[in-house]
Amino acid sequence: MEKHRNQTARDSMRSTMLPYGQQWIDDQDIEAVVGILRGDFITQGPAIEWFETKVAHYVGAKYAVAFTNGTAALHGACFAAGISAGDEVITTPITFLASSNCVLYQGGTPVFADIDMDSYNIDPEEIKLKLTDRTKAIIAVDFTGQPVEIDRISMLSRDRGIVLIQDAAHSLGASFSGRKIGGWADMTMFSFHPVKHITTGEGGIIVTDDEDYYRKLVLFRNHGMTKNPEELISNDGPWYYEMQELGYNYRMTDIQAALGVSQMDKLDSFVARRREIAAAYTEAFGGMKGLIVPKQHPSAESSWHLYVLRWDPQYFSADRETIFNELRSLNIGVHVHYIPVYMQPYYQKLGYRAGLCRNAEVYYQTAMTIPLFPRMTASDVSDVIDGVRRVYNKYYTGS
Ligand SMILES: *Cc1c(COP(=O)(O)O)cnc(C)c1O
């Protein structure tokens, strides 16, 4: 009988896996890319600047420098900030590896500050506790698309002459106190991986108002090399180029940039749809005891990259892994974002230890990302809600 009921439950669910995130490419995007493929420049052409200008204008920044991906862009920001051996950089453990790996690339030392249990973002009070004379920068991550308390964090960094880098891979289109993310920090990174708000396949960008950072970023993504007559130390003739810094080849292609330009036209509607779906989830799950829905800071307007649902273990007869597997078996592509970075074997080898950030570890034990992306249909959204309710009812024990 029990078996039969489960069978029926499963049959009524979807037949294909609903991922936690996915791109939305339309005919206009495809034509934009084809246009570049038929043209003269597939890389180092004019589309890069079109894309940079469009993103800078949208977020309210003076300059933008596109990179091959968001990780390379963060590496560039750490270079421009002058991070090197002996420098400490404060960041959150609840983030993708790249937010702190970029510090290691430059020989710096990541220092992890614990998260706030309402927003899951880095806690400004915890940042204060981790500041030392060697703190060179803060990399603040807008986890799930909800901006960090960027007003308080900017004040902290400005007072101490620390560089503020915002990892806004999750928060393109988000605002804090009515001002778009991208207009707040010294440098802000956006990623264009397919699960993010808009995509270029792979891609990333740094926006900044500072001309000096801008110049360094442009050098860094192209081997540290310049042909700009105003910047040359000497000049042997019209062929002359000069390598002034150790840079990389981190250039975005025009194929990617053209896709980005076309995707930017849809950003606001993508964000609006993400907000709609998030609101539907909060309405559905907000009243279910044992489920913890994401709380929002009153000044933060999230662009909702991720929706994290936490399962309070004291209310359920199954552990998080069982609940996770059950949802996957219903083709609801749940995920966990993220394992605290310092728990990774590589970081353990560097000497970081469990227990470093208590909130982050509690958060990690209970978190589950449920699918959220603009192309989800009403029926996809109700599949998620039904699936969560079903698994909830199966394991809810009442307290
Ligand atoms: C996606 C992501 C990155 C890295 O971006 P890529 O474009 O994938 O290199 C960095 N930080 C966070 C928080 C991300 O989610």
Side-chain angles (χ1 to χ4, degrees):
M1 193 56 199
E2 185 56 42
K3 189 162 185 249
H4 181 250
R5 268 223 308 277
N6 278 344
Q7 200 64 50
T8 318
R10 204 152 299 178
D11 287 347
S12 68
M13 287 300 293
R14 41 185 313 118
S15 59
T16 56
M17 182 65 80
L18 184 67
Y20 83 88
Q22 195 177 56
Q23 74 278 9
W24 189 349
I25 303 288
D26 67 11
D27 289 344
Q28 183 206 346
D29 296 328
I30 292 166
E31 256 141 55
V33 170
V34 170
I36 294 293
L37 290 172
R38 292 192 197 285
D40 292 330
F41 298 98
I42 58 172
T43 191
Q44 295 184 279
I48 305 297
E49 208 175 308
W50 302 340
F51 183 50
E52 290 171 339
T53 305
K54 203 158 181 171
V55 173
H57 184 257
Y58 179 88
V59 302
K62 225 160 158 178
Y63 305 102
V65 182
F67 282 81
T68 172
N69 55 58
T71 304
L74 281 174
H75 187 185
C78 288
F79 169 82
I83 293 162
S84 62
D87 293 332
E88 294 176 357
V89 179
I90 300 173
T91 192
T92 174
I94 299 300
T95 186
F96 184 59
L97 306 167
S99 315
S100 102
N101 285 351
C102 61
V103 176
L104 297 178
Y105 298 156
Q106 286 297 112
T109 305
V111 173
F112 295 97
D114 209 350
I115 59 167
D116 169 79
M117 274 315 249
D118 283 340
S119 65
Y120 314 139
N121 274 327
I122 195 166
D123 182 341
E125 293 304 315
E126 293 291 322
I127 294 178
K128 281 187 200 162
L129 298 176
K130 298 291 167 100
L131 288 165
T132 73
D133 310 343
R134 303 165 91 174
T135 309
K136 178 83 175 184
I138 298 170
I139 299 180
V141 182
D142 299 332
F143 178 59
T144 73
Q146 172 169 206
V148 290
E149 289 178 65
I150 192 67
D151 51 350
R152 292 177 65 196
I153 299 174
S154 321
M155 221 132 61
L156 268 178
S157 60
R158 204 170 321 129
D159 287 352
R160 290 169 176 79
I162 294 168
V163 184
L164 178 55
I165 299 168
Q166 196 162 10
D167 177 339
H170 295 188
S171 60
L172 181 58
S175 305
F176 192 88
S177 289
R179 182 165 158 204
K180 279 249 156 59
I181 298 309
W184 281 92
D186 295 314
M187 288 178 269
T188 303
M189 184 279 283
F190 299 104
S191 162
F192 310 115
H193 180 276
V195 297
K196 307 287 167 67
H197 291 82
I198 64 159
T199 191
T200 59
E202 297 281 357
I205 207 163
I206 299 289
V207 298
T208 183
D209 284 342
D210 184 301
E211 192 182 348
D212 189 46
Y213 290 145
Y214 169 72
R215 235 183 35 78
K216 285 183 174 146
L217 291 162
V218 169
L219 276 182
F220 189 73
R221 85 166 156 196
N222 193 25
H223 310 278
M225 183 181 87
T226 183
K227 291 179 185 170
N228 181 352
E230 284 167 32
E231 293 174 351
L232 295 175
I233 293 162
S234 57
N235 195 343
D236 294 354
W239 63 86
Y240 190 70
Y241 56 89
E242 211 162 64
M243 180 185 148
Q244 299 178 340
E245 301 280 0
L246 181 59
Y248 293 75
N249 180 354
Y250 276 167
R251 298 187 306 262
M252 179 182 267
T253 66
D254 283 56
I255 307 167
Q256 292 163 295
L259 178 55
V261 169
S262 175
Q263 285 262 295
M264 277 300 286
D265 291 340
K266 281 149 282 199
L267 173 58
D268 283 336
S269 68
F270 286 171
V271 171
R273 178 66 182 142
R274 284 176 176 277
R275 286 178 174 152
E276 217 170 73
I277 297 168
Y281 286 159
T282 296
E283 170 147 352
F285 306 134
M288 290 164 71
K289 217 171 168 189
L291 290 185
I292 304 162
V293 297
K295 293 187 190 69
Q296 301 296 297
H297 185 281
S299 300
E301 270 194 286
S302 179
S303 55
W304 289 101
H305 167 55
L306 301 173
Y307 193 97
V308 174
L309 199 57
R310 288 174 55 227
W311 300 71
D312 184 341
Q314 62 177 321
Y315 291 92
F316 301 98
S317 61
D319 61 9
R320 197 248 322 247
E321 189 179 351
T322 307
I323 293 169
F324 184 100
N325 287 333
E326 195 98 11
L327 281 162
R328 279 277 177 98
S329 79
L330 295 171
N331 281 331
I332 307 300
V334 287
H335 229 278
V336 173
H337 296 93
Y338 293 96
I339 302 166
V341 172
Y342 61 79
M343 298 295 285
Q344 295 294 341
Y346 187 85
Y347 280 81
Q348 294 282 302
K349 262 196 315 201
L350 294 178
Y352 297 87
R353 289 291 173 261
L356 189 58
C357 298
R358 262 185 51 89
N359 285 351
E361 292 177 28
V362 169
Y363 162 85
Y364 167 60
Q365 290 304 325
T366 52
M368 195 178 291
T369 303
I370 59 176
L372 173 58
F373 55 95
R375 204 159 64 118
M376 281 176 78
T377 63
S379 130
D380 292 333
V381 175
S382 53
D383 283 348
V384 175
I385 293 173
D386 290 350
V388 168
R389 281 202 183 120
R390 211 166 287 196
V391 176
Y392 177 95
N393 289 334
K394 184 165 173 185
Y395 295 116
Y396 182 70
T397 56
S399 84

